[in-house]
Amino acid sequence: MKTTQISEHIWSLRTWMIIPITVWVVVEEDGVTLVDTGMSTMAKGILKFINRLNAGPLKQIVLTHGHPDHVGALKSILHHHPVTVFAHNKEIPYLLGECSYREGKKPVATLIHGGVKTFAHDNDGELHAIGSLKPYFTPGHSPGHVIFYHEQDKVMLAGDLFSSKHGKLRKPLFTPNMKEVLNSSLVVGKLRPKQLEVCHGHSVFNPADQLSDYISEESKKLRTAVVSADGSDKPSSL
Ligand SMILES: [Zn+2]
Ligand SMILES: [Zn+2]
């Protein structure tokens, strides 16, 4: 597992299983927050790293979403450190094994009832920060996907809202609702992070500068796909 300090308070921990798989450790005043947990094989390495970092105990785990490559090490980490896990409420039925991400696939329970909390929110739906990380609801890749923004470091931990290649934003892998993903990606223009990190790819610096090119390119592909799927030449709006 490769560990890299990506900003003053954030470390990325990465392994490779055909594609890179990344989790993040965020240093808080009273301990550390783990963002996603990666594959089950990463559990030992993550705990060892937190120990070695010597920045205090693991305080909580926050999840961008519940796909298996983001929650694989969760059970094992909780076995050693029974901390609170936070996820968006739309993601919780999947984490509890009440429904499955893919039609026809058997649901898998990663957590038990009471083992996961939802993010608190205002009346207008704005999610409250957990430590120094503010979640933003960014559905499309999964129903309750969120990104986390570290205001002080100006870093966005974008989970699977994007992938990236050679410093460029790319669409996420296996995404049921690309139209919704493109709509969610507008959060990058709103927050204008200095640095954006994805689970399956490398850092993207000043991502807001390339956002409109990314959206127009992917919208074009989406329209072409819709046109060829329904046989009409009528472009669908984004
Ligand atoms: Zn995913
Ligand atoms: Zn993923």
Side-chain angles (χ1 to χ4, degrees):
M1 201 166 64
K2 192 180 172 209
T3 59
T4 315
Q5 185 168 16
I6 57 164
S7 67
E8 190 185 343
H9 299 94
I10 309 176
W11 292 78
S12 87
L13 282 60
R14 170 165 295 178
T15 192
W16 280 263
M17 292 188 90
I18 307 173
I19 51 169
I21 295 174
T22 315
V23 305
W24 300 279
V25 169
V26 180
V27 177
E28 307 282 0
E29 270 175 22
D30 52 353
V32 303
T33 301
L34 176 63
V35 182
D36 287 352
T37 68
M39 308 297 286
S40 57
T41 48
M42 294 173 80
K44 250 194 193 159
I46 292 170
L47 292 176
K48 230 189 198 169
F49 174 79
I50 291 174
N51 215 12
R52 224 180 40 224
L53 188 62
N54 206 18
L58 176 64
K59 298 293 285 183
Q60 61 242 326
I61 297 170
V62 296
L63 299 174
T64 58
H65 63 303
H67 282 166
D69 52 322
H70 297 252
V71 298
L74 193 54
K75 272 187 186 164
S76 175
I77 292 173
L78 289 176
H79 177 75
H80 296 279
H81 297 275
V83 294
T84 308
V85 179
F86 292 91
H88 193 277
N89 60 8
K90 290 204 170 164
E91 210 66 15
I92 288 181
Y94 300 89
L95 291 163
L96 297 177
E98 292 169 357
C99 42
S100 159
Y101 287 109
R102 286 197 197 181
E103 228 175 282
K105 247 194 145 189
K106 220 175 145 220
V108 181
T110 312
L111 289 165
I112 49 161
H113 275 279
V116 58
K117 275 192 184 169
T118 62
F119 301 114
H121 59 83
D122 290 343
N123 289 340
D124 60 1
E126 198 166 315
L127 304 174
H128 292 188
I130 305 284
S132 56
L133 295 171
K134 190 155 162 33
Y136 288 83
F137 182 45
T138 49
H141 175 73
S142 74
H145 188 283
V146 298
I147 60 96
F148 296 99
Y149 188 51
H150 194 290
E151 171 76 43
Q152 200 184 340
D153 290 10
K154 304 271 179 275
V155 173
M156 182 181 287
L157 303 177
D160 284 357
L161 177 59
F162 304 94
S163 65
S164 70
K165 208 171 183 186
H166 306 308
K168 293 272 183 202
L169 295 174
R170 291 279 186 270
K171 69 174 187 173
L173 316 165
F174 314 113
T175 292
N177 193 338
M178 195 53 203
K179 201 168 146 183
E180 209 175 12
V181 161
L182 291 179
N183 199 30
S184 291
S185 69
L186 295 173
V187 72
V188 170
K190 183 178 154 193
L191 299 172
R192 303 191 73 83
K194 246 202 242 163
Q195 190 173 340
L196 178 142
E197 298 290 325
V198 296
C199 179
H200 313 299
H202 294 277
S203 310
V204 178
F205 294 95
N206 301 313
D209 294 351
Q210 44 172 295
L211 187 67
S212 61
D213 283 354
Y214 164 78
I215 291 179
S216 62
E217 202 172 299
E218 289 305 326
S219 314
K220 222 185 284 166
K221 283 188 212 162
L222 211 55
R223 280 198 292 269
T224 315
V226 170
V227 170
S228 48
D230 69 8
S232 77
D233 56 358
K234 209 168 46 225
S236 79
S237 61
L238 180 64

